[in-house]
Amino acid sequence: MTKTQHMTKRTFDVVLALFGLLVIWPVILVTILLAWRDTGASGLFRQVRVGRDGRLFKVNKIRTMRMVEGTTVTVEGDPRITP
C-alpha cells in the first residue's frame, strides 16, 4: 500500500468513525445515565487492557454490573447484572 493510499484509507476511517459517533452518541449518553441511575455509581468505568505487542491501554466502558466487594466471577442469573 502506498503512502497516499494509506492516508486516504486512514482519512476515510476517521471520517466514518466520527459520523458513526455523531449518530450513536445520544443512545450512548442515555445508556450511561441509566447505568448511573441503576447502580448509584458512575455510568462509566476505566479498565486496563493488553494490546498489540503487550502494550497496555485504558478503555472506558459502560457499567453493566453493580459493584460488590470481593466478587470476581460472573455466573448465569448473577444479581449484580443491571437491566
Side-chain angles (χ1 to χ4, degrees), residues 2 5 7 25 32 43-44 49-50 58 71 73 77:
T2 68
Q5 288 173 324
M7 286 176 46
W25 78 265
I32 291 169
L44 286 175
R49 294 288 179 100
V50 180
K58 295 177 183 171
T71 308
V73 178

Side-chain angles (χ1 to χ4, degrees), residues 7-76:
M7 286 176 46
T8 302
K9 182 182 181 320
R10 176 68 177 155
T11 301
F12 176 76
D13 290 347
V14 169
V15 168
L16 191 62
L18 288 173
F19 176 74
L21 281 173
L22 182 66
V23 170
I24 199 75
W25 78 265
V27 174
I28 294 171
L29 181 62
V30 168
T31 305
I32 291 169
L33 291 173
L34 289 172
W36 172 68
R37 185 190 71 176
D38 190 61
T39 64
S42 171
L44 286 175
F45 71 97
R46 183 168 282 183
Q47 191 174 54
V48 176
R49 294 288 179 100
V50 180
R52 186 181 303 169
D53 299 325
R55 291 177 39 199
L56 299 178
F57 66 98
K58 295 177 183 171
V59 61
N60 290 315
K61 298 175 70 176
I62 297 174
R63 188 175 303 282
T64 58
M65 298 185 80
R66 292 174 189 86
M67 297 186 316
V68 176
E69 294 270 336
T71 308
T72 58
V73 178
T74 305
V75 294
E76 189 173 338

